[in-house]
Amino acid sequence: MRWRALGIRLFCAVVLFIGLLAWMNNWPGMLGLRQPLAVAAPWIYWGMIGAFWVVFILLSSLRDYRLRRYEQQVAEAATYMNQIQHLKAPELMLADDDPEWQAFYQQANQVNQLTHQLHAQADQKQADFDRLINHLPVGVMVINPDDNVQMANEVMETLLNVPIDPTPHSYLDDVKTFGLSHLIEHTEANHRTHHAEVKLVQNNERPVDAYAIWIGDEESGQVVVVLYDLALIRAAEQMQLDFVGNVSHELKTPITSIAGFAETLLSGAKNDPQSLDKFLQIILQESNRLNDLVTDTISVARFANPHPIHPQKIQVNSEIGRVLTMLRPRIIERDLSVQIKGDTDTTFVFDPAEFDDIIKNLLTNAVIYNHHGGEIRVEYGLSDKNFRLVVADTGIGIPEDDQQRVFERFYRVDKMRSRRNGGTGLGLSIVQAIVQRAGGEIILHSQVAVGTTFTVTLPRKPAKEIANNQTTADTK
């Protein structure tokens, strides 16, 4: 292109030069000279020729300089705009003194600053979105039109039980459950949102509520997979079923005994004084057992829902003594010795009914599961922040495999002994519920044939503060 322009320029210069020569040759005649200008005034003739070519060279050089300068400015402008496009441009670009280029760079700098601002805002929004997705309690996966995973959060990794590569890859590398992959394929084919409950075989058949959501139009779009973990819900449902089943079973035994012995008495056994006393005694025992079971069941239901508490100052030693007096017949029957260690003046602010449940259930277990002639040790005391209660026995102990389950409802280590002594299997679950509700802790240490120790730690709070906290919790 440049050589072509140079050729055109030389052609024009030659034409103009020929015209100049023709004019100079005709000029002497117009002036009345008899000799050619080159002979009559050679210095003028050659001076005009030299001046023509000097002016041509100067003008050509100036034009070339201006052209090169313009090309350089255009190249710099193109480079700057390319840097803006790829977010690599400096914040400010200075231009030459040319007014047109100054106006251009002024506008380009504004575009550059605006581009950086928009990109920073987009990065911030993306970071906020990623944090939101990662903190959602549900699994989220975005699948692009090429069936590649565009994004997935940590919960999805946990539910699928696979590490998800952050780079684009096929969703089939992560989804190994046919039901879920079929749900995704169905959504892609119909361009409609679909929902189903699926068991993830790659995570021990974990139940999830799965949504494959179509985002787009009839031509193209993305699939957003949302998984809700149903494991806790299903476990809670199973616990409810187990609870109802256990309550029904436990209620059936005393009711059957009461009904059977009452029927026997009505059939004629009431006429035998010895049988009458014996059967009435059994009916009374089963009635007490039934009453204990109903009372404990109500307690379990009460702790499952928020309820008001009434904290008061409790004389700890007196409360322990009252419960031991109630258990005294059983203690004498097993020839047990009881040791109490603690300041007799110790008082503790707590709900009296709930504190009674803690003491009664722990001491009852210490009596029922103790050996004949064994010992029961009760210790209590206050620190700056906590109240500490220890109940230890020298009984049968709890096997290590059972120690994690003794706080479950209706779970018994020795089922025959529990039923024989009227245990309901709800005592420790009630104690744990009370302790956890108060923000405390219960710790179990046990060794088979050596004994069991329960250590309860409860935070010390003024009665007014406990009441305020409970009111706030109930309001929520």
Side-chain angles (χ1 to χ4, degrees):
M1 181 66 108
R2 181 172 296 178
W3 289 107
R4 179 181 177 185
L6 181 60
I8 294 174
R9 196 187 314 159
L10 287 174
F11 175 77
C12 294
V14 170
V15 171
L16 291 174
F17 181 69
I18 293 173
L20 177 64
L21 290 178
W23 179 75
M24 286 190 301
N25 288 330
N26 293 327
W27 189 35
M30 292 185 292
L31 296 176
L33 299 177
R34 295 181 179 180
Q35 294 179 336
L37 183 61
V39 177
W43 59 275
I44 295 176
Y45 180 82
W46 292 108
M48 291 182 68
I49 293 175
F52 174 83
W53 288 110
V54 168
V55 170
F56 171 76
I57 292 173
L58 288 175
L59 291 176
S60 296
S61 299
L62 180 61
R63 184 185 181 283
D64 290 340
Y65 170 77
R66 295 281 297 181
L67 181 61
R68 286 195 299 272
R69 178 60 184 159
Y70 179 77
E71 291 176 346
Q72 181 182 357
Q73 290 174 329
V74 171
E76 291 177 354
T79 301
Y80 186 49
M81 297 304 294
N82 185 62
Q83 290 175 340
I84 291 176
Q85 179 182 358
H86 295 87
L87 301 173
K88 297 180 180 179
E91 294 184 358
L92 185 63
M93 188 75 173
L94 299 177
D96 294 332
D97 295 333
D98 296 338
E100 63 275 13
W101 286 107
Q102 288 182 352
F104 168 78
Y105 276 105
Q106 183 178 6
Q107 297 296 323
N109 287 331
Q110 293 179 0
V111 171
N112 183 27
Q113 292 176 354
L114 181 59
T115 302
H116 276 82
Q117 292 175 0
L118 293 176
H119 187 265
Q121 293 175 1
D123 287 344
Q124 184 62 41
K125 289 182 179 179
Q126 184 63 41
D128 293 341
F129 176 76
D130 291 342
R131 282 194 296 270
L132 172 64
I133 294 300
N134 282 326
H135 284 82
L136 286 176
V138 298
V140 179
M141 175 184 286
V142 179
I143 302 174
N144 63 22
D146 297 327
D147 287 343
N148 289 329
V149 176
Q150 183 175 333
M151 187 272 296
N153 65 356
E154 296 177 359
V155 178
M156 180 63 77
E157 287 188 348
T158 302
L159 292 177
L160 295 180
N161 200 27
V162 294
I164 298 179
D165 192 346
T167 59
H169 60 281
S170 174
Y171 74 87
L172 294 176
D173 295 340
D174 305 321
V175 179
K176 307 297 184 182
T177 302
F178 173 77
L180 182 56
S181 61
H182 180 70
L183 192 70
I184 296 172
E185 293 173 1
H186 204 40
T187 299
E188 289 179 332
N190 297 334
H191 294 176
R192 291 171 54 192
T193 297
H194 291 86
H195 163 249
E197 184 173 328
V198 179
K199 285 188 176 180
L200 299 176
V201 297
Q202 59 204 90
N203 196 355
N204 297 323
E205 294 191 351
R206 194 181 193 91
V208 294
D209 196 25
Y211 283 85
I213 304 170
W214 176 258
I215 299 178
D217 51 29
E218 293 296 330
E219 299 297 329
S220 63
Q222 294 177 321
V223 176
V224 178
V225 181
V226 180
L227 301 183
Y228 297 85
D229 190 1
L230 299 178
L232 294 178
I233 296 176
R234 294 293 177 265
E237 292 175 351
Q238 187 60 45
M239 287 180 62
Q240 290 178 350
L241 293 175
D242 293 342
F243 180 74
V244 172
N246 287 325
V247 169
S248 301
H249 176 76
E250 295 296 332
L251 288 173
K252 185 177 180 180
T253 302
I255 290 175
T256 301
S257 298
I258 293 172
F261 284 107
E263 184 178 355
T264 302
L265 290 173
L266 291 174
S267 299
K270 63 182 179 180
N271 298 321
D272 182 2
Q274 186 175 358
S275 298
L276 177 62
D277 291 342
K278 178 180 179 182
F279 290 167
L280 288 176
Q281 185 66 32
I282 294 174
I283 291 175
L284 178 61
Q285 291 177 355
E286 293 299 328
S287 298
N288 291 333
R289 178 181 175 185
L290 184 61
N291 181 66
D292 291 341
L293 180 60
V294 172
T295 301
D296 287 347
T297 303
I298 293 174
S299 297
V300 170
R302 181 164 55 94
F303 291 119
N305 299 290
H307 63 277
I309 60 175
H310 306 284
Q312 300 176 14
K313 279 189 177 182
I314 299 172
Q315 193 77 23
V316 177
N317 188 268
S318 298
E319 183 65 23
I320 294 174
R322 188 185 64 78
V323 174
L324 287 175
T325 300
M326 181 183 64
L327 295 173
R328 185 171 181 79
R330 293 183 178 182
I331 294 175
I332 295 175
E333 180 183 355
R334 288 175 172 77
D335 192 23
L336 302 176
S337 62
V338 181
Q339 298 179 3
I340 302 176
K341 184 177 180 182
D343 191 345
T344 56
D345 296 330
T346 298
T347 59
F348 178 58
V349 177
F350 206 76
D351 185 284
E354 294 188 353
F355 192 78
D356 178 73
D357 284 337
I358 294 176
I359 298 294
K360 182 178 64 177
N361 284 299
L362 291 181
L363 286 177
T364 300
N365 278 354
V367 172
I368 291 177
Y369 296 104
N370 216 325
H371 293 299
H372 186 83
E375 297 180 358
I376 298 175
R377 177 172 52 88
V378 181
E379 295 182 7
Y380 60 89
L382 291 173
S383 64
D384 292 338
K385 297 181 179 180
N386 299 312
F387 168 78
R388 183 170 177 268
L389 172 69
V390 178
V391 177
D393 63 63
T394 57
I396 62 174
I398 303 173
E400 186 175 353
D401 293 340
D402 293 323
Q403 291 182 18
Q404 299 299 321
R405 302 192 60 191
V406 293
F407 295 103
E408 295 179 11
R409 298 169 184 175
F410 295 105
Y411 188 81
R412 298 181 178 91
V413 178
D414 188 340
K415 297 179 176 59
M416 293 302 298
R417 178 180 294 208
S418 295
R419 290 196 172 96
R420 186 171 62 249
N421 291 279
T424 64
L426 295 172
L428 290 179
S429 64
I430 293 174
V431 173
Q432 185 185 55
I434 295 173
V435 172
Q436 290 180 347
R437 175 188 170 93
E441 182 183 26
I442 180 169
I443 299 175
L444 164 66
H445 293 287
S446 185
Q447 186 175 351
V448 175
V450 175
T452 301
T453 301
F454 287 97
T455 302
V456 174
T457 304
L458 298 171
R460 294 183 64 180
K461 292 183 180 180
K464 185 176 181 181
E465 182 180 347
I466 294 177
N468 290 339
N469 291 344
Q470 182 60 42
T471 302
T472 303
D474 292 340
T475 302
K476 292 182 179 179

